[in-house]
Amino acid sequence: MPVLRPGPARPRPLAVLLTALLAALSLSLPLTSARAASTPARGSAHMGMGVLAHDGRDGTPAPGYVTQTEGVDVAAYQGNVAWSTLWNSGVRWAYTKATEGTYYTNPYFAQQYNGAYNVGMIRGSYHFATPDTTSGATQAAYFVDHGGGWSRDGRTLPGALDIEWNPYGAACYGKTASQMVGWIADFVATYKARTGRYPVIYTATSWWTQCTGNYGGFAANDPLWIARYAADPGTLPAGWAFYTMWQYTSSGPTVGDHDKFNGALDRVQALALG
């Protein structure tokens, strides 16, 4: 008589489905966690945050024939700044991050903004734009109400709009070029109405080209602060024939973010006076 030997048990369809689902989840969890870990916390963005990742670094400024005035820009991640050290090294102007979106103010703002002023520098403040959270007009008003104002004291520069790569998501904040231009225009108009001054626009040419379609309409009124870590500022965004300020490195002494004003100290004073 033939002997029937038991073969391997056939897996039940439900068990197969559950096993596959668990395997898929185990594969996706590390990727999700990695993405979450690489996204910075809201409020931590600062001027030039995306420059190295998107444009890289290619040298340092070459000696030029035009006199330029050294400056710095600071944010909360730099903590209490040694302003006397910077002054003694030749830095004569500074910008401090005041706000981001409508949800963040810099906890070190007083030490940074007033500290620069107290050692004799000409100072200003900047706003890190998040066009995907609220309107340009709303953010300009928030900026003015939280340190972004201007006074004709000869020592206060007009506020700066830091508009660059989105560190929290899509580079252009989910906006088309025309939508981005509209957002910036709302910010500019509101800042002008509130302070009597046009804001400085800080950006990088590659971002501006990608996210505004290289729009040239702001050049008539808004001073350009270009970001490029290289021997020269390179090609400027459309409309601007020259830059007013140039962020040329994120690895300077004392404070990493160093800048050059396109002119002697009296030109910095002239911008402060309006």
Side-chain angles (χ1 to χ4, degrees), residues 93-143:
W93 60 276
Y95 267 85
T96 295
K97 180 182 177 182
T99 50
E100 176 178 320
T102 53
Y103 50 79
Y104 173 86
T105 57
N106 177 4
Y108 289 91
F109 182 75
Q111 192 278 341
Q112 295 177 345
Y113 187 70
N114 296 329
Y117 185 92
N118 290 339
V119 298
M121 293 184 192
I122 300 173
R123 51 80 191 272
S125 58
Y126 76 86
H127 173 80
F128 193 95
T130 57
D132 57 338
T133 60
T134 46
S135 71
T138 299
Q139 292 192 31
Y142 185 81
F143 177 43

Side-chain angles (χ1 to χ4, degrees), residues 62-77:
Y65 297 104
V66 178
T67 300
Q68 298 191 321
T69 308
E70 192 75 8
V72 296
D73 56 272
V74 298
Y77 78 99

